[in-house]
Amino acid sequence: MIRVAMTGVYVDDVPKAHAFYTGVLGFETRTRMDLGDGTLFVTVGAREGAQPDLELLLEPGQGPIAEPYRRALHEAGLPCIVFSVDDLQGEYERLSGLGVRFTHPPQEQGPVLAAVFDDTVGNLVQLVQPKG
């Protein structure tokens, strides 16, 4: 069986992304290593034992591949990643209260409720909650 172990998100600033994804979104740090020359290798994941084998790599977003990709996604209003939540309205209110800027509030999108926010490091992120 093949499973997803790690996926990455290109970010403007790895330390700033680490602070946002842990301090605001509530992920836990799984790996934080200094690779030298100020380059950090940082992964985060869900807290409380949820998805213990799945990590999100916060990757430097500079470079000839990452920059055009990120810019195109952002300009099109497309999220770079989708996270699921149990209570979308509650997360929307909590994150809004922390100053997170949503580009669209919770709304129905087919089989889910969805909202999109700016992660402060160059990306749009979607939160979804299954309807029902």
Side-chain angles (χ1 to χ4, degrees), residues 9-23:
V9 171
Y10 292 119
V11 298
D12 291 339
D13 180 315
V14 173
K16 183 178 177 183
H18 185 219
F20 180 82
Y21 278 74
T22 56

Side-chain angles (χ1 to χ4, degrees), residues 24-102:
V24 177
L25 296 185
F27 287 101
E28 67 182 12
T29 302
R30 299 277 178 84
T31 306
R32 187 175 195 285
M33 297 179 353
D34 186 340
L35 301 177
D37 297 329
T39 302
L40 293 176
F41 180 88
V42 177
T43 68
V44 298
R47 290 190 185 276
E48 301 171 13
Q51 299 178 305
D53 59 345
L54 180 58
E55 297 183 41
L56 178 64
L57 174 61
L58 303 174
E59 297 190 67
Q62 299 72 28
I65 295 172
E67 288 180 13
Y69 169 75
R70 293 174 60 224
R71 185 173 41 256
L73 282 178
H74 204 277
E75 288 173 359
L78 298 173
C80 70
I81 195 162
V82 178
F83 298 131
S84 66
V85 296
D86 294 327
D87 176 9
L88 181 60
Q89 187 63 39
E91 282 299 315
Y92 173 75
E93 291 170 9
R94 181 184 78 81
L95 294 173
S96 293
L98 292 172
V100 174
R101 184 181 69 79
F102 280 80

Side-chain angles (χ1 to χ4, degrees), residues 2-4 23 30 59 61 67 69 77 82 99 107 109 116-117 127 131:
I2 297 175
R3 296 185 315 227
V4 176
R30 299 277 178 84
E59 297 190 67
E67 288 180 13
Y69 169 75
V82 178
Q107 58 188 340
Q109 286 188 334
V116 176
F117 66 86
L127 298 178
K131 290 193 297 191

